[in-house]
Amino acid sequence: MKPYTLHVPNDAPIGEPESLDRAVLVRDAFSWGAFVFTAFWFFWHRLWLAGLAVLVGLFVIQTGLQVLGAHPTAVLLVQILLSLVIGLEASSLQRWTLRRRGRPAVDAVMADDLEEAETKAFRRWLERRPPRLAAPVTGALVTPVGGETNPIIGLFPQAEPGR
């Protein structure tokens, strides 16, 4: 089973079926397409900023290795390692771009394939209800017995005794 994240627009009301027309599911796994095609994979998925950053980064590293006079085998090994990193981080960059465009991840599901992930994520989205607001607190602040007004800050439930 693979993890998938559901991304819907910020302005989508919780549980609204029409917002699923603009929803995107992103699989959190190694991307063979990004490993093989590197920057072109990002451009294909309309991830312009990430694709440009990858393209510039690959060019700078390639040029730097050539200027340093690295052995061709070392250059090939570096290119393969960079492609491996790009394949590992492609889904994270895709989620980052979606969040930057106003489509944060609102849910995560585990599924065997995209169709099952869509079914699970969409069902969970439609079953959600708007959160209930807590009742407003009325009344005055309570002053501790003994007249002390020192606030307690930290994880301990009572104040330390004076030294």
Side-chain angles (χ1 to χ4, degrees), residues 7 9 19 35 55 65 108 140 144-145:
H7 300 263
S19 61
F35 173 73
L55 192 63
L65 289 172
V145 179

Side-chain angles (χ1 to χ4, degrees), residues 13-97:
I14 296 174
E16 178 188 90
E18 288 79 23
S19 61
L20 294 177
D21 292 337
R22 298 180 295 162
V24 177
L25 276 171
V26 177
R27 190 178 104 187
D28 189 22
F30 183 80
S31 173
W32 285 100
F35 173 73
V36 173
F37 299 111
T38 59
F40 299 113
W41 182 88
F42 290 98
F43 296 140
W44 179 262
H45 288 279
R46 304 186 68 184
L47 306 171
W48 309 114
L49 193 58
L52 184 63
V54 167
L55 192 63
V56 168
L58 290 173
F59 176 75
V60 167
I61 291 172
Q62 177 75 21
T63 305
L65 289 172
Q66 288 178 353
V67 167
L68 292 173
H71 193 272
T73 306
V75 173
L76 179 65
L77 182 63
V78 168
Q79 287 176 345
I80 291 172
L81 290 174
L82 287 173
S83 294
L84 182 67
V85 170
I86 291 168
L88 289 169
E89 293 299 323
S91 60
S92 296
L93 290 171
Q94 190 173 12
R95 281 192 299 278
W96 172 76
T97 302

Side-chain angles (χ1 to χ4, degrees), residues 117-138:
E118 284 179 348
T119 303
K120 286 181 176 181
F122 290 178
R123 182 181 54 227
R124 285 169 55 167
W125 173 259
L126 294 173
E127 289 174 354
R128 286 188 179 173
R129 300 286 177 250
R132 296 165 70 185
L133 298 175
V137 178
T138 58

